[in-house]
Amino acid sequence: MEDRPKPIIWIGSSRKDLKTFPKRVRFDIGQALYAAQLGDTDPAAKPLRGFGGTKVMEIIDRHDTNTYRAVYTVQFAGVIYALHAFQKKSKRGIATPQKDIELIHRRLAEAQRLNRQRSN
């Protein structure tokens, strides 16, 4: 566990999207992100499949009959990039919809670009 929280950099509309979630969901996701900022992994966070181990993490929160997700990466030293926040609407299975996976890939590439700029 780290002494000082790592900053979070919000990619795309991820922060704006998170703000539309119910208050309880925002609190729960915020707690999980804070744990990541301190170098821990919240029980609600797990690796997102298809991104190679713990490179990209997904927070899942259920509220009423809805499922909300936030995706972030801790692969870069000293910073967390919040990549996506969305309400899963598909009723078929638990898999993340392909359009969301594609958006996460694009935003991860943006985070990599931003991190290179931060390093220079």
Side-chain angles (χ1 to χ4, degrees), residues 33-116:
L33 285 172
Y34 185 66
Q37 286 180 279
L38 296 177
D40 283 341
T41 302
D42 188 271
K46 64 177 186 147
L48 182 60
R49 286 188 185 174
F51 286 87
T54 59
K55 181 173 159 178
V56 175
M57 301 294 287
E58 172 181 48
I59 303 163
I60 300 173
D61 196 55
R62 289 175 180 78
H63 180 72
D64 290 335
T65 59
N66 299 307
T67 301
Y68 299 87
R69 296 182 180 190
V71 179
Y72 67 95
T73 184
V74 293
Q75 76 181 75
F76 307 108
V79 68
I80 293 176
Y81 288 93
L83 303 174
H84 191 27
F86 62 103
Q87 179 182 353
K88 186 174 178 303
K89 298 190 185 227
S90 172
K91 302 301 179 203
R92 296 177 304 187
I94 61 171
T96 304
Q98 187 59 35
K99 70 176 184 67
D100 291 301
I101 293 292
E102 291 167 3
L103 179 61
I104 293 164
H105 276 290
R106 286 193 305 272
R107 289 185 176 173
L108 180 60
E110 174 71 6
Q112 290 167 334
R113 186 185 66 74
L114 288 172
N115 197 65
R116 278 193 303 272

